[in-house]
């Protein structure tokens, strides 16, 4: 692969859950058509995607792990983080709802119900954005899950974790997009809790810093950012999945002012999805 | 950078082994238990079957052989999927409750290693001088006794078939991941731990686990080969 | 076991890849005799021996053996086949010690190797000049040593019928002498027969009761030792004995 | 459920193959190209090396052999990681630009299959009658000529070593996933497609891909074995 | 190549696993002679032949061969070792056709098998009664057939020195006759020597110019054919010839 060829290709590293939702399949062809770039998608674990970015093997990242994203930019590996869209996490559980989570009011109560019933909970356990989010929720609920036998740390991707939870009939936390796209394969699971504002799940897009590595297609990355935040594309994001699932999988939020580049410590912007 | 990651991996491996980290020891124990048991099961079926195929002619044998050799390249993840479907609560063996337990993993790994053991045993047996086999029969050996003596003649090949079977499953990840679920403290083995650390971007630790796995495999192979030391002398 | 014949062979034939290499109309081996089979290279002698040991089966005909008849393609039960053994032309030893090779037929018969058995086996090895090679690996033996180990292994379990395919081909005169003595003594022990292929006409003359000439897969002549050498019926036999080509 | 999924898989496989779905055809083409090239490279190094080891004695040979046999069980994902680190922009071979391309995948798979080819070739060569090798030398064969003739004698074993190497890489997922990146239309192969569909819970399609993979492997093996038909006759 | 001797062997010895099986102080083979090596089984005859073919190297001493001296452990260059070949006691043929086996030495020497070469090779096969087996697979041959193929393969490339390890052990009188004729004729072609191991004393008597008795790894006596049989110097030789045990 020589230099000129490299520059006609954009390497997008993302998480498997983002890719599995099918959103990229819908949007990227439009981008390719418009810009003439070819986009190659590497769908891997969150940590791995960040690492690929840190090694200079991708031109742009699309992930959902806010803390890690900020760190990535602060360490100088990314030029800037752009907010793209969000969806939310849902708490899933067996249809029988053994911990009676459905009657709880807050995610904190929901998790406490699981703990007090010693109901099985399957965690991704892979330090992905979803897993990090889940850990912070347990922290907020003041529950220490380490060393308990009802808490199963799987160390797998979102899809695998949902399949496992479905088979083991456990509770688990997943992003709504992945859950909806796999729902037909998960007869034993249903949403037992949703809507708490702390379940917000923002996605960001970060061009890799061309100053740090040779051979970064920064022009392409910038063009891709412009594409994704464009109004008509944001609209498409909001429409995606409506036909198939009766509700959108993602909500555009490119307009939300992103202050992370100002102080790097900006807490997750709060906007409760209207579901 | 690359050398950093490798060096980091080596140090990490040493560190993990030295400190006898219980998390790591547990993973090693599960790996050995699962792959060891699976290998024994595979050998118990594979060696006799391979010997039988190597010593007998029947119509359709070429087909069976091709199937067996194809089985060597049966994608572990597909075998994992089959076993998963079988063991899932709605599957035919769902009532066993083996999914996400070492039993299910053993089942999947036995299926993976069995064609390797059988295929290479067959090849080794077919390499034995046919005159010797005739001579054994003439001396009054039953079919079984002649088969055992033939396996003894082909011992290096049989040993290698076992080593190959072991190598395939101790390093296999697709099936154990799917069937075992990589549950910490229960079904996490070295390879699934490697994948997990890779997904996390912890390449150093991933390589450390890889080194531990290889060290274990090397010690086992070296010991087995020592027992067969004389067989190793070159065919000069 | 009161039959007159150890073998009675009728109309057997063997074809390899379209080539009929053996076609024997009739051949019987008497009880208590040493029967020598001679004939040019490629005549089918070893093939006949394989059929007599039931290691291969004939394509046609039948073989009556120790009182029972076996049709082409059928094989006697293990108990019966264990009464006959062959020392092959090309000795095939297992890659283990000489000792393990020699006791193999006893082990597979579940025999206990008692102290007195050890003594007996060591005597056989000693007779054959093999005792000092007891622990040598069999794949490191000289040609003649290997041939003697193969013979020791065959007689150690006292088979009723002994088939020998050129058992002295790789041996020097003194060793030939020893082995001929062993063969002569053995026929007194077994209450049956020895069939022996040899290219050594003098050996046939020394050992045989009767001799058959096999040629192109067919039995040309079966005769008593004396008549075979002194008054052969057939011209082919005369040619063979005089070393003339009979291919 | 289980029979449904399997039946679904079979139908899906037939359907995908019949319709010559370009997405599927492309995946098959990449699989064959990558694994085929990797196998050729592995055979070019592995067969001569295996023959050399099988025919020579030197101090430390037991060690080399144990290492080789251990290499048979080298976890593909660890090899993938090594290659990834090497080929990464910040790695020593970063300038090649092979990461996330078929070249990188070929490199990883060559490394995976090479110990299998070399190890089994060695075993097969050691099974050849040493008297024959002496006789060949006595007839004036050079070391190379004797080696070639010995490989010809051990042809079934050598063929099986190739089949084993092919089976290992065509069914391998860890390394190609890591080094290739499973990029649709570029580096997606059958096994990574299987993992992708499994992850999505589309077991039917996953099994369909598995069946396609096995069918291809079976056809290749059967053809190779047919060419060596006579060798297959049992050692009765 | 004007040397008097093809081989001059000085003080060579060979030890296997602590066991010295060969210790030859001096032995020379004259140009143009057929030299027969006799001795009891296990005496070290085949071992000596392996050293003379440089397939193994001796532990001590040196071998002068075709005008150059090779110390223990060293091996002549390919060009020289290609001048000598052995027909082993136990024929080792490749599992391919008889024809491919026989032309192998020519192929590895890069020789073109022209039509006239084909003719010449077919004549050799015909002489040895093997022509009709031309396309048979060599692992399916009878014992004597295999031995003859091995001989054909050795003489087809006309080596200067021919080492024969019991080349007629598995053959009938007529075939022995043919092979002895071939050997006698061959010595006229090669301007060097043939060394032949045989257990057949009559054969040694028919073919040899000189004969050596090897016993327990040592040369007991080297003598002209007539004297070896009629006036042996050593008692051991007398014992050997009379078939008495000399182990
Ligand atoms: N498996 C086989 N396939 C094809 N031909 C065979 C097979 N076995 C034997 N033959 C042929 O059958 C013929 C007879 O073989 P056999 O071994 O019985 O000869 P023999 O009389 O023992 O000869 P020798 O004295 O040379 O050992 C030979 O021409 C041989 O080539
Ligand atoms: N590789 C080996 N390892 C150990 N011992 C060996 C090896 N090769 C040969 N011997 C021993 O060396 C001795 C001489 O063997 P050699 O083959 O030279 O005998 P020979 O004179 O050819 O006998 P024969 O007439 O029986 O063929 C034998 O006692 C044999 O057991
Ligand atoms: Mg024969
Ligand atoms: Mg010898």
């Amino acid at each position: 692969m020589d230099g000129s060829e490299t520059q006609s290709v954009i390497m997008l590293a993302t998480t498997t859950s983002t890719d599995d939702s099918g959103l990229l399949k819908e949007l990227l062809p439009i981008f390719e058509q418009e810009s003439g770039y070819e986009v190659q998608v590497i769908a891997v674990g969150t940590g791995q995607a960040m690492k690929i970015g840190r090694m200079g093997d991708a031109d742009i990242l699309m992930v959902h792990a806010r803390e890690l994203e900020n760190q990535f930019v602060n360490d100088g590996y990314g030029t800037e983080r752009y907010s793209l869209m969000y969806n939310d996490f849902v708490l899933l559980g067996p249809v029988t709802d053994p911990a009676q989570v459905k009657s709880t009011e807050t995610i904190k109560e929901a998790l406490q119900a699981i703990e007090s019933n010693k109901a099985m909970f399957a965690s991704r356990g892979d330090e992905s954005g979803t897993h990090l989010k889940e850990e912070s929720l347990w922290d907020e609920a003041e529950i220490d899950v380490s060393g308990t036998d009802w808490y199963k740390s799987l160390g797998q991707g979102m899809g695998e974790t949902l399949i496992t939870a479905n088979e083991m009939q456990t509770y688990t936390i997943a992003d709504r997009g992945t859950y909806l796209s796999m729902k037909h394969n998960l007869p034993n699971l249903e949403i037992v809790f949703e809507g708490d504002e702390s379940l917000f799940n923002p996605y960001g897009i970060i061009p890799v810093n061309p100053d740090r590595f040779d051979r970064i297609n920064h022009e392409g990355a910038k063009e891709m950012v412009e594409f994704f935040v464009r109004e008509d594309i944001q609209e498409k994001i909001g429409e995606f999945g409506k036909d198939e699932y009766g509700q959108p999988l993602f909500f555009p939020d490119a307009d939300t002012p992103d202050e992370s580049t100002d102080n790097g410590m900006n807490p997750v912007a709060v906007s409760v999805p209207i579901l | 950078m690359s050398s950093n990651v490798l060096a980091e991996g080596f140090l990490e491996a040493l560190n993990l082994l030295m400190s006898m980290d219980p998390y790591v020891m547990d993973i090693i124990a599960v790996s050995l238990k699962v792959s060891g048991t699976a290998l024994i099961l595979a050998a118990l079926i594979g060696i006799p079957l391979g010997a039988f195929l190597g010593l007998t002619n029947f119509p359709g044998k070429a087909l069976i052989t091709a199937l067996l050799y194809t089985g060597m390249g049966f994608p572990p993840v597909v075998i994992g999927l089959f076993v998963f479907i079988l063991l899932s609560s709605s599957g035919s063996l769902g009532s066993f409750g083996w999914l996400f337990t070492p039993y299910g993993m053993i089942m999947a790994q036995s299926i993976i290693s069995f064609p390797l053991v059988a295929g290479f045993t067959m090849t080794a047996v077919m390499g034995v001088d046919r005159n010797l086999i005739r001579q054994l029969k003439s001396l009054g050996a039953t079919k079984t006794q002649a088969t055992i003596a033939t396996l003894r003649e082909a011992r290096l090949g049989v040993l290698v078939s076992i080593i190959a079977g072991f190598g395939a499953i101790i390093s296999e990840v697709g099936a154990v991941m799917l069937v075992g679920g990589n549950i910490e403290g229960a079904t996490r083995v070295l390879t699934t731990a490697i994948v997990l650390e890779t997904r996390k971007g912890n390449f150093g630790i991933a390589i450390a686990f890889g080194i531990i796995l290889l060290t274990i495999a090397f010690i086992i192979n070296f010991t087995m080969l020592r027992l067969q030391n004389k067989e190793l002398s070159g065919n000069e | 076991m009161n039959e007159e014949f150890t073998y009675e062979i009728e109309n057997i034939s063997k074809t390899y890849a379209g080539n009929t290499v053996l076609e024997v109309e009739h051949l019987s081996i008497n009880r208590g005799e040493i029967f020598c089979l001679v004939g040019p290279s490629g005549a089918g002698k070893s093939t006949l021996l394989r059929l007599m040991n039931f290691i291969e089966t004939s394509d046609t005909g039948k073989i009556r053996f120790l009182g029972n008849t076996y049709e082409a393609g059928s094989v006697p039960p293990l108990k019966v086949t264990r009464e006959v053994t062959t020392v092959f032309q090309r000795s095939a030893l297992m890659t283990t010690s000489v000792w393990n090779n020699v006791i193999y037929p006893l082990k597979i018969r579940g025999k206990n190797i008692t102290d007195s058995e050890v003594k007996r086996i060591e005597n056989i090895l000693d007779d054959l000049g093999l005792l000092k090679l007891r622990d040598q690996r069999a794949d490191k033996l000289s040609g003649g040593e290997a041939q003697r180990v193969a013979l020791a292994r065959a007689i150690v379990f006292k088979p009723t019928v002994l088939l020998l395919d050129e058992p002295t081909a790789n041996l020097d005169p003194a060793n030939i002498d020893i082995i001929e003595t062993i063969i002569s003594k053995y026929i007194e022990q077994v209450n049956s027969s020895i069939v022996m292929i040899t290219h050594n006409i003098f050996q046939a003359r020394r050992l045989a009761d009767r001799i058959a000439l096999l040629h192109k897969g067919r039995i040309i002549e079966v005769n008593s030792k004396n008549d075979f050498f002194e008054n052969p019926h057939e011209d082919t036999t005369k040619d063979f004995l005089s070393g003339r080509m009979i291919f």
Side-chain angles (χ1 to χ4, degrees), chain B residues 63-78:
Chain B
L63 195 77
I64 299 276
T65 313
L67 281 174
L68 196 64
Y69 287 150
T70 305
M72 291 183 182
F74 214 131
V77 55
V78 174

mmCIF file with all atom_site columns, all heavy atoms in Angstrom, chain B residues 63-78:
data_model
loop_
_atom_site.group_PDB
_atom_site.id
_atom_site.type_symbol
_atom_site.label_atom_id
_atom_site.label_alt_id
_atom_site.label_comp_id
_atom_site.label_asym_id
_atom_site.label_entity_id
_atom_site.label_seq_id
_atom_site.pdbx_PDB_ins_code
_atom_site.Cartn_x
_atom_site.Cartn_y
_atom_site.Cartn_z
_atom_site.occupancy
_atom_site.B_iso_or_equiv
_atom_site.pdbx_formal_charge
_atom_site.auth_seq_id
_atom_site.auth_comp_id
_atom_site.auth_asym_id
_atom_site.auth_atom_id
_atom_site.pdbx_PDB_model_num
ATOM 1   N N   . LEU B 1 63 ? -13.465 -41.225 1.681  1.00 0.00 ? 63 LEU B N   1
ATOM 2   C CA  . LEU B 1 63 ? -14.409 -40.207 2.117  1.00 0.00 ? 63 LEU B CA  1
ATOM 3   C C   . LEU B 1 63 ? -14.277 -39.938 3.612  1.00 0.00 ? 63 LEU B C   1
ATOM 4   O O   . LEU B 1 63 ? -14.146 -38.791 4.046  1.00 0.00 ? 63 LEU B O   1
ATOM 5   C CB  . LEU B 1 63 ? -15.830 -40.688 1.803  1.00 0.00 ? 63 LEU B CB  1
ATOM 6   C CG  . LEU B 1 63 ? -16.905 -39.625 1.854  1.00 0.00 ? 63 LEU B CG  1
ATOM 7   C CD1 . LEU B 1 63 ? -16.855 -38.778 0.614  1.00 0.00 ? 63 LEU B CD1 1
ATOM 8   C CD2 . LEU B 1 63 ? -18.277 -40.284 1.976  1.00 0.00 ? 63 LEU B CD2 1
ATOM 9   N N   . ILE B 1 64 ? -14.277 -41.018 4.388  1.00 0.00 ? 64 ILE B N   1
ATOM 10  C CA  . ILE B 1 64 ? -14.148 -40.884 5.841  1.00 0.00 ? 64 ILE B CA  1
ATOM 11  C C   . ILE B 1 64 ? -12.845 -40.159 6.171  1.00 0.00 ? 64 ILE B C   1
ATOM 12  O O   . ILE B 1 64 ? -12.797 -39.280 7.033  1.00 0.00 ? 64 ILE B O   1
ATOM 13  C CB  . ILE B 1 64 ? -14.118 -42.284 6.502  1.00 0.00 ? 64 ILE B CB  1
ATOM 14  C CG1 . ILE B 1 64 ? -15.409 -43.049 6.212  1.00 0.00 ? 64 ILE B CG1 1
ATOM 15  C CG2 . ILE B 1 64 ? -13.888 -42.147 8.006  1.00 0.00 ? 64 ILE B CG2 1
ATOM 16  C CD1 . ILE B 1 64 ? -16.538 -42.728 7.131  1.00 0.00 ? 64 ILE B CD1 1
ATOM 17  N N   . THR B 1 65 ? -11.788 -40.546 5.458  1.00 0.00 ? 65 THR B N   1
ATOM 18  C CA  . THR B 1 65 ? -10.496 -39.940 5.730  1.00 0.00 ? 65 THR B CA  1
ATOM 19  C C   . THR B 1 65 ? -10.519 -38.451 5.428  1.00 0.00 ? 65 THR B C   1
ATOM 20  O O   . THR B 1 65 ? -10.037 -37.635 6.215  1.00 0.00 ? 65 THR B O   1
ATOM 21  C CB  . THR B 1 65 ? -9.423  -40.614 4.868  1.00 0.00 ? 65 THR B CB  1
ATOM 22  O OG1 . THR B 1 65 ? -9.601  -42.025 4.980  1.00 0.00 ? 65 THR B OG1 1
ATOM 23  C CG2 . THR B 1 65 ? -8.051  -40.236 5.338  1.00 0.00 ? 65 THR B CG2 1
ATOM 24  N N   . ALA B 1 66 ? -11.088 -38.104 4.278  1.00 0.00 ? 66 ALA B N   1
ATOM 25  C CA  . ALA B 1 66 ? -11.161 -36.689 3.926  1.00 0.00 ? 66 ALA B CA  1
ATOM 26  C C   . ALA B 1 66 ? -11.988 -35.939 4.965  1.00 0.00 ? 66 ALA B C   1
ATOM 27  O O   . ALA B 1 66 ? -11.657 -34.821 5.357  1.00 0.00 ? 66 ALA B O   1
ATOM 28  C CB  . ALA B 1 66 ? -11.754 -36.520 2.533  1.00 0.00 ? 66 ALA B CB  1
ATOM 29  N N   . LEU B 1 67 ? -13.057 -36.580 5.437  1.00 0.00 ? 67 LEU B N   1
ATOM 30  C CA  . LEU B 1 67 ? -13.877 -35.935 6.466  1.00 0.00 ? 67 LEU B CA  1
ATOM 31  C C   . LEU B 1 67 ? -13.067 -35.719 7.735  1.00 0.00 ? 67 LEU B C   1
ATOM 32  O O   . LEU B 1 67 ? -13.112 -34.667 8.363  1.00 0.00 ? 67 LEU B O   1
ATOM 33  C CB  . LEU B 1 67 ? -15.106 -36.796 6.788  1.00 0.00 ? 67 LEU B CB  1
ATOM 34  C CG  . LEU B 1 67 ? -16.253 -36.692 5.794  1.00 0.00 ? 67 LEU B CG  1
ATOM 35  C CD1 . LEU B 1 67 ? -17.348 -37.698 6.135  1.00 0.00 ? 67 LEU B CD1 1
ATOM 36  C CD2 . LEU B 1 67 ? -16.832 -35.280 5.799  1.00 0.00 ? 67 LEU B CD2 1
ATOM 37  N N   . LEU B 1 68 ? -12.292 -36.735 8.085  1.00 0.00 ? 68 LEU B N   1
ATOM 38  C CA  . LEU B 1 68 ? -11.473 -36.641 9.294  1.00 0.00 ? 68 LEU B CA  1
ATOM 39  C C   . LEU B 1 68 ? -10.456 -35.521 9.162  1.00 0.00 ? 68 LEU B C   1
ATOM 40  O O   . LEU B 1 68 ? -10.286 -34.698 10.066 1.00 0.00 ? 68 LEU B O   1
ATOM 41  C CB  . LEU B 1 68 ? -10.758 -37.977 9.503  1.00 0.00 ? 68 LEU B CB  1
ATOM 42  C CG  . LEU B 1 68 ? -10.173 -38.217 10.883 1.00 0.00 ? 68 LEU B CG  1
ATOM 43  C CD1 . LEU B 1 68 ? -11.273 -38.271 11.910 1.00 0.00 ? 68 LEU B CD1 1
ATOM 44  C CD2 . LEU B 1 68 ? -9.386  -39.516 10.884 1.00 0.00 ? 68 LEU B CD2 1
ATOM 45  N N   . TYR B 1 69 ? -9.772  -35.504 8.025  1.00 0.00 ? 69 TYR B N   1
ATOM 46  C CA  . TYR B 1 69 ? -8.778  -34.457 7.828  1.00 0.00 ? 69 TYR B CA  1
ATOM 47  C C   . TYR B 1 69 ? -9.444  -33.087 7.786  1.00 0.00 ? 69 TYR B C   1
ATOM 48  O O   . TYR B 1 69 ? -8.881  -32.098 8.248  1.00 0.00 ? 69 TYR B O   1
ATOM 49  C CB  . TYR B 1 69 ? -7.967  -34.711 6.550  1.00 0.00 ? 69 TYR B CB  1
ATOM 50  C CG  . TYR B 1 69 ? -6.979  -35.853 6.662  1.00 0.00 ? 69 TYR B CG  1
ATOM 51  C CD1 . TYR B 1 69 ? -6.631  -36.615 5.557  1.00 0.00 ? 69 TYR B CD1 1
ATOM 52  C CD2 . TYR B 1 69 ? -6.371  -36.165 7.873  1.00 0.00 ? 69 TYR B CD2 1
ATOM 53  C CE1 . TYR B 1 69 ? -5.717  -37.659 5.652  1.00 0.00 ? 69 TYR B CE1 1
ATOM 54  C CE2 . TYR B 1 69 ? -5.459  -37.203 7.977  1.00 0.00 ? 69 TYR B CE2 1
ATOM 55  C CZ  . TYR B 1 69 ? -5.135  -37.955 6.862  1.00 0.00 ? 69 TYR B CZ  1
ATOM 56  O OH  . TYR B 1 69 ? -4.242  -38.981 6.970  1.00 0.00 ? 69 TYR B OH  1
ATOM 57  N N   . THR B 1 70 ? -10.653 -33.033 7.217  1.00 0.00 ? 70 THR B N   1
ATOM 58  C CA  . THR B 1 70 ? -11.370 -31.758 7.216  1.00 0.00 ? 70 THR B CA  1
ATOM 59  C C   . THR B 1 70 ? -11.709 -31.356 8.641  1.00 0.00 ? 70 THR B C   1
ATOM 60  O O   . THR B 1 70 ? -11.651 -30.180 8.999  1.00 0.00 ? 70 THR B O   1
ATOM 61  C CB  . THR B 1 70 ? -12.649 -31.864 6.372  1.00 0.00 ? 70 THR B CB  1
ATOM 62  O OG1 . THR B 1 70 ? -12.292 -32.308 5.067  1.00 0.00 ? 70 THR B OG1 1
ATOM 63  C CG2 . THR B 1 70 ? -13.353 -30.527 6.281  1.00 0.00 ? 70 THR B CG2 1
ATOM 64  N N   . GLY B 1 71 ? -12.020 -32.369 9.457  1.00 0.00 ? 71 GLY B N   1
ATOM 65  C CA  . GLY B 1 71 ? -12.313 -32.095 10.859 1.00 0.00 ? 71 GLY B CA  1
ATOM 66  C C   . GLY B 1 71 ? -11.163 -31.406 11.566 1.00 0.00 ? 71 GLY B C   1
ATOM 67  O O   . GLY B 1 71 ? -11.355 -30.659 12.524 1.00 0.00 ? 71 GLY B O   1
ATOM 68  N N   . MET B 1 72 ? -9.923  -31.668 11.080 1.00 0.00 ? 72 MET B N   1
ATOM 69  C CA  . MET B 1 72 ? -8.757  -30.984 11.657 1.00 0.00 ? 72 MET B CA  1
ATOM 70  C C   . MET B 1 72 ? -8.878  -29.482 11.486 1.00 0.00 ? 72 MET B C   1
ATOM 71  O O   . MET B 1 72 ? -8.302  -28.726 12.252 1.00 0.00 ? 72 MET B O   1
ATOM 72  C CB  . MET B 1 72 ? -7.487  -31.409 10.931 1.00 0.00 ? 72 MET B CB  1
ATOM 73  C CG  . MET B 1 72 ? -7.075  -32.815 11.152 1.00 0.00 ? 72 MET B CG  1
ATOM 74  S SD  . MET B 1 72 ? -5.523  -33.053 10.262 1.00 0.00 ? 72 MET B SD  1
ATOM 75  C CE  . MET B 1 72 ? -5.236  -34.780 10.595 1.00 0.00 ? 72 MET B CE  1
ATOM 76  N N   . GLY B 1 73 ? -9.579  -29.077 10.423 1.00 0.00 ? 73 GLY B N   1
ATOM 77  C CA  . GLY B 1 73 ? -9.703  -27.660 10.166 1.00 0.00 ? 73 GLY B CA  1
ATOM 78  C C   . GLY B 1 73 ? -11.107 -27.157 10.461 1.00 0.00 ? 73 GLY B C   1
ATOM 79  O O   . GLY B 1 73 ? -11.540 -26.157 9.916  1.00 0.00 ? 73 GLY B O   1
ATOM 80  N N   . PHE B 1 74 ? -11.812 -27.897 11.303 1.00 0.00 ? 74 PHE B N   1
ATOM 81  C CA  . PHE B 1 74 ? -13.150 -27.482 11.714 1.00 0.00 ? 74 PHE B CA  1
ATOM 82  C C   . PHE B 1 74 ? -13.009 -26.223 12.558 1.00 0.00 ? 74 PHE B C   1
ATOM 83  O O   . PHE B 1 74 ? -12.350 -26.257 13.581 1.00 0.00 ? 74 PHE B O   1
ATOM 84  C CB  . PHE B 1 74 ? -13.785 -28.596 12.545 1.00 0.00 ? 74 PHE B CB  1
ATOM 85  C CG  . PHE B 1 74 ? -15.266 -28.724 12.375 1.00 0.00 ? 74 PHE B CG  1
ATOM 86  C CD1 . PHE B 1 74 ? -15.844 -29.954 12.131 1.00 0.00 ? 74 PHE B CD1 1
ATOM 87  C CD2 . PHE B 1 74 ? -16.080 -27.615 12.467 1.00 0.00 ? 74 PHE B CD2 1
ATOM 88  C CE1 . PHE B 1 74 ? -17.215 -30.083 11.970 1.00 0.00 ? 74 PHE B CE1 1
ATOM 89  C CE2 . PHE B 1 74 ? -17.457 -27.729 12.317 1.00 0.00 ? 74 PHE B CE2 1
ATOM 90  C CZ  . PHE B 1 74 ? -18.019 -28.966 12.067 1.00 0.00 ? 74 PHE B CZ  1
ATOM 91  N N   . PRO B 1 75 ? -13.573 -25.109 12.149 1.00 0.00 ? 75 PRO B N   1
ATOM 92  C CA  . PRO B 1 75 ? -13.364 -23.880 12.924 1.00 0.00 ? 75 PRO B CA  1
ATOM 93  C C   . PRO B 1 75 ? -13.878 -24.059 14.356 1.00 0.00 ? 75 PRO B C   1
ATOM 94  O O   . PRO B 1 75 ? -15.051 -24.373 14.543 1.00 0.00 ? 75 PRO B O   1
ATOM 95  C CB  . PRO B 1 75 ? -14.198 -22.842 12.194 1.00 0.00 ? 75 PRO B CB  1
ATOM 96  C CG  . PRO B 1 75 ? -14.555 -23.430 10.898 1.00 0.00 ? 75 PRO B CG  1
ATOM 97  C CD  . PRO B 1 75 ? -14.454 -24.904 11.012 1.00 0.00 ? 75 PRO B CD  1
ATOM 98  N N   . PRO B 1 76 ? -13.017 -23.865 15.328 1.00 0.00 ? 76 PRO B N   1
ATOM 99  C CA  . PRO B 1 76 ? -13.418 -24.015 16.727 1.00 0.00 ? 76 PRO B CA  1
ATOM 100 C C   . PRO B 1 76 ? -14.667 -23.214 17.053 1.00 0.00 ? 76 PRO B C   1
ATOM 101 O O   . PRO B 1 76 ? -15.530 -23.677 17.795 1.00 0.00 ? 76 PRO B O   1
ATOM 102 C CB  . PRO B 1 76 ? -12.212 -23.480 17.486 1.00 0.00 ? 76 PRO B CB  1
ATOM 103 C CG  . PRO B 1 76 ? -11.061 -23.738 16.588 1.00 0.00 ? 76 PRO B CG  1
ATOM 104 C CD  . PRO B 1 76 ? -11.590 -23.573 15.202 1.00 0.00 ? 76 PRO B CD  1
ATOM 105 N N   . VAL B 1 77 ? -14.767 -22.039 16.442 1.00 0.00 ? 77 VAL B N   1
ATOM 106 C CA  . VAL B 1 77 ? -15.920 -21.210 16.798 1.00 0.00 ? 77 VAL B CA  1
ATOM 107 C C   . VAL B 1 77 ? -17.218 -21.848 16.293 1.00 0.00 ? 77 VAL B C   1
ATOM 108 O O   . VAL B 1 77 ? -18.257 -21.768 16.955 1.00 0.00 ? 77 VAL B O   1
ATOM 109 C CB  . VAL B 1 77 ? -15.742 -19.761 16.285 1.00 0.00 ? 77 VAL B CB  1
ATOM 110 C CG1 . VAL B 1 77 ? -15.472 -19.735 14.812 1.00 0.00 ? 77 VAL B CG1 1
ATOM 111 C CG2 . VAL B 1 77 ? -16.943 -18.909 16.604 1.00 0.00 ? 77 VAL B CG2 1
ATOM 112 N N   . VAL B 1 78 ? -17.143 -22.567 15.172 1.00 0.00 ? 78 VAL B N   1
ATOM 113 C CA  . VAL B 1 78 ? -18.351 -23.244 14.693 1.00 0.00 ? 78 VAL B CA  1
ATOM 114 C C   . VAL B 1 78 ? -18.687 -24.419 15.601 1.00 0.00 ? 78 VAL B C   1
ATOM 115 O O   . VAL B 1 78 ? -19.849 -24.645 15.955 1.00 0.00 ? 78 VAL B O   1
ATOM 116 C CB  . VAL B 1 78 ? -18.171 -23.715 13.233 1.00 0.00 ? 78 VAL B CB  1
ATOM 117 C CG1 . VAL B 1 78 ? -19.368 -24.538 12.790 1.00 0.00 ? 78 VAL B CG1 1
ATOM 118 C CG2 . VAL B 1 78 ? -17.984 -22.519 12.321 1.00 0.00 ? 78 VAL B CG2 1
#
